[in-house]
Amino acid sequence: MSTVDRVSEGPGAAGTSPLAPDGESRPSWRRHLGFANIGVVYVEIALIIVFSILAPSTFPTWITVKSVLNENAVAGLMALSLVVPLSAQVFDLSIGNAMGLANVVIAWLLVNKGVAVVPAILITLTLGLLIGLLNGLVVVTAKIDSFIGTLATGSLMVAAISLVTHDQQITGNALNGSFGNIATTSVAGIELPVILMLLVAIVLYVIQKYTVLGRRIYAIGFNERGAVLAGIKTGRIKFATLIVSGTVAAIAGILLASGVSSGSPGIGPPYLLNAFAAAFLGATQFGGRFNAWGTIIAVILLGTGTTGLVLVGGAPWTQSMFSGVVLLVALGASSFERAVQARAWVRSRRVRRPAPAE
Amino acid sequence: MKLVREPATASDRLALKIRGVAKTFPGVRALVDFDLDVRAGSVHALLGHNGCGKSTLIKALAGVHAPDPGAKAWIDDEPLEIGDAVDAQLKGLRFVHQELGIIPEMGAVDNVGFVLGFQRGRFGRIDWRAQARVTTELLERFGFKLDPHKPLAAASPPERAAVAIVRAVAGWKAGRGVLILDEPTAALPAHEVDELFRLVREVSGTGTAVILVSHRLDEVMAIADHATVMRSGAKVWDGPLSSTSLSGLVDLISNTEASDSTATAGSHASGHRVRNHTTSSETPIALEARGMYGRYLRGVSFRLRVGEVLGVAGLLGSGREELPYLIGGNQRSGAEGAVSVDGRESRCLTVTEAHELGIVLVPADRAREGIFADFTTRENVSLAALPTIALRGLFTPPAEKAFVSRWLNAVHADPGFSERLISTLSGGNQQKAILARWLSVGPKVLLLSEPTAGVDIGARNVIYQELRQRAADGLAILMASSDVEDLLASCDRVIVLRDGVIAGEFAGDHMTKAAIAYAMEGAHSEHG
């Protein structure tokens, strides 16, 4: 008996108190201000310094601040729309085309159909909701992998865009006037899209941080099987996240139509990659999960870089390269830091706690 | 079991000889100066409880662990470097683990080809027709006929095992090599085992030695001719199976006589086995399950009384691991059965319906089903009860923190773990957190599967005590565990499952390690 139990008790016997052997956490200021937590902020500060030195007369101005914000509000909304399903580990690859479809549909309603502004907006928002519904049916009801399923629905949207526009840009007076004013209404130089973006970010922040729903969305994303066993209605929630992403993408499409006074086929897809870049970069910030403010800061960082490169006279290719390099470096740096932490943790554990026999 | 042992084909030539292999982990001697002789053509069973050292031995042979210096081994009289995976492969040691290592989306053709190489045609292209022919011949040689192109996912479990075994032993010269089968039947329903054993006999019939690791002693008696029993990293018995019996093996493995007396003495000292004597036939029934059928279960019915801790014992594949899930609402398709709580009867519950009835489940696979590794401990604990802290879906962090601290305290875990990622906690503290999560919703029935897997002894005792306390407060608890000590330490009554049905029920003085072990194995006690 004694020898039997010596072996089975071995691992536990080493740590005398069941409460003791779990290692300590690092001081909280180091965690909160560490590169892994707010690295993007440091990179942003470094960028501002570098561009201010290179273009001292044009870069460090209020105009630059306004243009970075105003020009990236739509991209910010797109990124936020992506964060919602991504938190539940659902990929919505259709948001680029959803946004493009909303963009041409509202232009078509206003210009070709002569629909008044408010009904046109409502119809387009409903369209966004229906797109989400379609994605939900594909991903949740038909259980098609979200990566492929939303790629396919996105393709359907490309067809719809072509059907509506005949591959021609839609322009007309109806897009100016009161509709055109939507995107340019401003408070202290900050335009409505920026305010909307911040509003969506605030709502998303509150949901993710302070609501049962937000917690459950993360739970699905982290461990879907565990979420099912915890009684979370995973299908219903995943469905809802796709409806949100479709609708927010439609809002972005409407704002873009208002801002550039046209509905253009092919305007949406480029936003998809940037939205992914910002969402993933943002997810490395503030605690390692998809979140609103990390995403906003990532959008601003990418916007600062591209605006700054224009101001210092960089060649057109430098902008895309900048986005790619920033994303790789940021993701690489935080995964490196995490690996270092994990290794330190394993080492600290190995000393305290012998490996179990089997 | 209707199997009849075939006449021994074993010769006197040793296929595998091991001398003085030991393995020390920090603080634990998992394997102590171990010798083993395996004769060519024999089926040699390696027996013992979890933690007896047999997995360590297998892992050392497979090259996963390097043994302590000084170990020597020979295969077919050729020296073998223990702990060297390449040398083991080269000298003719082959391993087939319970998971088989096959690719279920592909057919036998590919699964065999990946290991043995593909038949080549001109310009190095794969000659699929020749490959299919070779595969079919190989399988037929061992008595299996199956479409070599059919994905193995669609094949029967014994057919899948056959592919894994055949590709392991193919290409050996007759009578050479050692095949090690690690729990090959553990996940098989009883009626599929015979087919697999036919294959094992074919293999050993060629003169190859087979080492069989198994918990199912009836099967061992049927197929093996020699056995080595291990306890605490050492050999306690080695001999031909004709010289012992099923109950003899149970005694050797469990050390039943000795441990029963000491366990009782020990429990009096530590006070963990204070039984709840209040449950009697007058105590109201908390949950009644009738006619539970599933992948393994073949009609199980039982009643669980208020304040009772009911244990479920059984070998892997007996239905023991399936029962809590069926009751807790995680149904597979094809599952049947009725569960009634408070006189309300429901068929095929969903998890949500089970929760509404007050039934919650602490799942077996903590890493995959229990914890959310990227959540903090706080988030893991509060997950289930969060709606009750929230007002219209909105909660405040201080309220959540206070709630979690209270429940971490309740299960004797340090509230300081709250803000740490749960993946950085020890298994014991993770399990306490999961327990806190489910106790905090105020359930009527708590189901647990493998509640102490990977949990150190200190945390284990805390969990036992906590469960007894909750039961005394009126919670009905069903605990399924592969560790009989778990059940003895906390249960009022134990039901033993075997081949999907209840094979025994024990309570009070009849609830002993020996009685449960005999019932699990289908053996009859030789000492009453």
Side-chain angles (χ1 to χ4, degrees):
Chain A
M1 167 67 189
S2 63
T3 45
V4 177
D5 271 21
R6 197 183 50 73
V7 169
S8 62
E9 282 175 17
T16 43
S17 158
L19 305 183
D22 285 278
E24 308 99 53
S25 44
R26 298 190 299 154
S28 68
W29 63 268
R30 267 186 69 190
R31 261 185 300 140
H32 289 305
L33 298 181
F35 192 85
N37 201 40
I38 55 163
V40 171
V41 174
Y42 294 141
V43 176
E44 172 73 14
I45 292 169
L47 270 187
I48 290 171
I49 293 169
V50 169
F51 284 130
S52 298
I53 293 167
L54 292 176
S57 57
T58 50
F59 187 81
T61 61
W62 179 234
I63 297 169
T64 308
V65 173
K66 279 192 290 188
S67 84
V68 166
L69 288 175
N70 292 337
E71 282 168 20
N72 290 289
V74 169
L77 274 172
M78 290 291 281
L80 290 173
S81 83
L82 201 57
V83 165
V84 177
L86 269 183
S87 301
Q89 204 71 269
V90 173
F91 287 79
D92 187 351
L93 298 184
S94 74
I95 58 158
N97 290 319
M99 186 258 236
L101 183 58
N103 177 262
V104 299
V105 163
I106 192 147
W108 178 74
L109 287 171
L110 291 167
V111 175
N112 297 22
K113 295 284 144 184
V115 180
V117 172
V118 172
I121 289 175
L122 291 178
I123 293 171
T124 313
L125 287 178
T126 311
L127 174 73
L129 202 133
L130 289 174
I131 288 171
L133 199 71
L134 174 67
N135 282 331
L137 286 173
V138 167
V139 172
V140 179
T141 313
K143 294 195 171 76
I144 297 171
D145 183 73
S146 64
F147 214 89
I148 302 302
T150 55
L151 211 55
T153 58
S155 183
L156 298 181
M157 290 167 218
V158 172
I161 290 169
S162 184
L163 194 72
V164 170
T165 63
H166 304 291
D167 297 326
Q168 302 289 316
Q169 204 175 45
I170 300 174
T171 50
N173 278 335
L175 292 174
N176 301 317
S178 61
F179 181 72
N181 287 339
I182 294 173
T184 50
T185 309
S186 64
V187 181
I190 304 296
E191 293 172 354
L192 186 68
V194 179
I195 295 167
L196 263 176
M197 173 186 83
L198 294 176
L199 219 62
V200 171
I202 289 168
V203 170
L204 184 56
Y205 170 75
V206 170
I207 288 178
Q208 293 193 317
K209 189 106 182 169
Y210 298 110
T211 70
V212 178
L213 176 67
R215 190 63 63 73
R216 287 179 171 171
I217 292 174
Y218 280 135
I220 296 168
F222 289 155
N223 181 353
E224 188 165 354
R225 166 100 180 125
V228 169
L229 285 175
I232 295 173
K233 295 184 171 103
T234 56
R236 208 178 283 187
I237 290 177
K238 282 159 76 178
F239 211 112
T241 64
L242 285 165
I243 287 182
V244 170
S245 63
T247 310
V248 174
I251 295 173
I254 294 169
L255 291 174
L256 198 61
S258 167
V260 301
S261 297
S262 70
S264 317
I267 201 170
Y271 281 89
L272 179 67
L273 196 66
N274 278 329
F276 263 102
F280 273 89
L281 190 50
T284 65
Q285 308 291 296
F286 306 124
R289 46 183 89 158
F290 292 104
N291 68 87
W293 296 121
T295 306
I296 295 290
I297 289 174
V299 168
I300 290 172
L301 172 75
L302 295 171
T304 307
T306 44
T307 306
L309 285 168
V310 171
L311 291 177
V312 301
W317 55 263
T318 53
Q319 298 186 15
S320 293
M321 198 175 90
F322 171 78
S323 304
V325 168
V326 165
L327 192 61
L328 288 176
V329 169
L331 294 175
S334 67
S335 78
F336 176 74
E337 183 164 326
R338 237 177 260 181
V340 168
Q341 279 174 22
R343 219 171 297 144
W345 178 73
V346 167
R347 218 174 295 132
S348 73
R349 245 174 115 75
R350 203 173 287 155
V351 177
R352 279 201 198 85
R353 178 178 286 263
E358 300 202 32
Chain B
M1 187 99 354
K2 307 167 296 294
L3 293 170
V4 180
R5 187 138 24 103
E6 301 217 320
T9 49
S11 68
D12 288 333
R13 185 170 60 81
L14 286 184
L16 176 67
K17 187 162 93 173
I18 297 175
R19 289 292 175 268
V21 60
K23 176 70 191 172
T24 311
F25 292 104
V28 183
R29 294 189 71 191
L31 205 53
V32 187
D33 200 18
F34 190 81
D35 298 343
L36 186 68
D37 289 329
V38 180
R39 279 170 302 125
S42 71
V43 178
H44 191 122
L46 204 54
L47 307 172
H49 277 313
N50 290 330
C52 73
K54 61 185 193 298
S55 299
T56 309
L57 175 68
I58 302 282
K59 281 179 181 165
L61 288 173
V64 177
H65 294 320
D68 298 346
K72 286 197 175 68
W74 296 262
I75 288 187
D76 295 329
D77 294 329
E78 270 188 80
L80 167 78
E81 189 71 38
I82 298 188
D84 181 341
V86 177
D87 199 42
Q89 174 80 13
L90 206 67
K91 301 277 164 60
L93 266 184
R94 296 284 191 280
F95 300 83
V96 175
H97 297 284
Q98 193 190 322
E99 300 81 20
L100 301 179
I102 55 160
I103 301 169
E105 289 80 7
M106 294 181 158
V109 169
D110 296 282
N111 275 292
V112 169
F114 286 136
V115 172
L116 299 178
F118 286 98
Q119 300 294 313
R120 297 292 179 170
R122 262 195 292 175
F123 309 118
R125 71 173 181 91
I126 296 174
D127 185 343
W128 287 109
R129 203 175 305 165
Q131 180 66 22
R133 196 181 58 240
V134 168
T135 306
T136 310
E137 280 169 7
L138 203 54
L139 283 163
E140 275 176 0
R141 184 138 55 90
F142 292 98
F144 279 82
K145 266 190 180 11
L146 70 156
D147 175 1
H149 296 290
K150 182 173 70 175
L152 290 182
S156 73
E159 284 172 341
R160 285 200 285 269
V163 171
I165 291 171
V166 160
R167 74 178 184 182
V169 303
W172 276 348
K173 274 177 269 161
R176 293 284 146 180
V178 180
L179 173 68
I180 297 177
L181 299 175
D182 194 357
E183 297 277 0
T185 63
L188 293 187
H191 52 274
E192 287 175 340
V193 169
D194 295 17
E195 213 175 327
L196 182 68
F197 279 175
R198 198 162 48 75
L199 174 64
V200 172
R201 278 194 207 93
E202 293 280 346
V203 172
S204 72
T206 66
T208 294
V210 178
I211 297 180
L212 179 73
V213 179
S214 178
H215 281 296
R216 293 190 178 180
L217 297 184
D218 54 346
E219 293 170 8
V220 167
M221 291 301 286
I223 183 86
D225 40 50
H226 201 96
T228 299
V229 178
M230 295 175 73
R231 230 166 38 218
S232 314
K235 191 191 320 190
V236 292
W237 189 81
D238 186 283
L241 280 169
S242 50
S243 70
T244 183
S245 67
L246 185 48
S247 6
L249 281 180
V250 175
D251 288 337
L252 283 166
I253 291 166
S254 305
N255 199 15
T256 39
E257 287 147 60
S259 64
D260 260 338
S261 51
T262 46
T264 316
S267 64
H268 282 304
S270 55
H272 292 315
R273 273 175 86 183
V274 184
R275 298 239 183 281
N276 189 347
H277 295 293
T278 55
T279 50
S280 69
S281 53
E282 280 96 58
T283 316
I285 290 165
L287 176 142
E288 179 169 7
R290 283 196 288 115
M292 307 300 291
Y293 281 84
R295 179 161 178 228
Y296 299 107
L297 290 172
R298 294 277 169 272
V300 167
S301 307
F302 64 89
R303 288 171 168 180
L304 177 60
R305 295 185 182 278
V306 170
E308 185 183 30
V309 185
L310 175 62
V312 181
L315 299 173
L316 194 61
S318 65
R320 180 251 308 152
E321 66 280 23
E322 190 180 27
L323 188 59
Y325 286 81
L326 283 190
I327 298 167
N330 194 249
Q331 309 272 5
R332 282 169 187 276
S333 54
E336 271 180 56
V339 171
S340 62
V341 174
D342 292 339
R344 276 200 288 163
E345 183 170 294
S346 318
R347 299 204 146 260
C348 291
L349 294 173
T350 65
V351 176
T352 319
E353 285 163 355
H355 284 181
E356 279 160 11
L357 290 172
I359 306 173
V360 299
L361 167 71
V362 174
D365 188 342
R366 193 163 52 239
R368 275 184 55 244
E369 305 180 320
I371 65 164
F372 296 79
D374 294 325
F375 268 158
T376 60
T377 308
R378 165 174 52 82
E379 290 166 312
N380 269 287
V381 170
S382 68
L383 190 70
L386 207 52
T388 62
I389 325 170
L391 192 67
R392 292 203 195 91
L394 210 67
F395 61 85
T396 64
E400 189 195 9
K401 262 182 203 158
F403 181 85
V404 169
S405 292
R406 198 168 79 237
W407 279 100
L408 284 176
N409 272 323
V411 296
H412 307 280
D414 184 353
F417 295 151
S418 209
E419 296 310 309
R420 304 244 314 268
L421 285 183
I422 196 159
S423 49
T424 67
L425 301 191
S426 65
N429 282 318
Q430 287 181 6
Q431 192 69 333
K432 287 183 196 168
I434 304 294
L435 201 57
R437 177 199 295 166
W438 291 117
L439 288 175
S440 73
V441 300
K444 284 182 193 150
V445 178
L446 175 68
L447 311 167
L448 303 117
S449 190
E450 301 298 336
T452 62
V455 171
D456 60 89
I457 194 80
R460 215 175 264 216
N461 285 332
V462 171
I463 288 171
Y464 295 154
Q465 260 172 311
E466 184 58 27
L467 293 177
R468 294 264 20 131
Q469 185 55 49
R470 296 286 154 184
D473 295 344
L475 180 64
I477 299 175
L478 178 92
M479 180 200 275
S481 179
S482 58
D483 186 346
V484 177
E485 300 285 353
D486 268 0
L487 306 175
L488 292 175
S490 41
C491 295
D492 301 306
R493 184 161 65 101
V494 170
I495 54 176
V496 178
L497 297 184
R498 207 172 111 73
D499 297 340
V501 295
I502 295 180
E505 182 177 331
F506 306 94
D509 294 340
H510 300 291
M511 194 173 83
T512 62
K513 194 172 173 182
I516 294 171
Y518 286 136
M520 279 164 67
E521 298 286 359
H524 298 288
S525 174
E526 281 174 0
H527 19 250

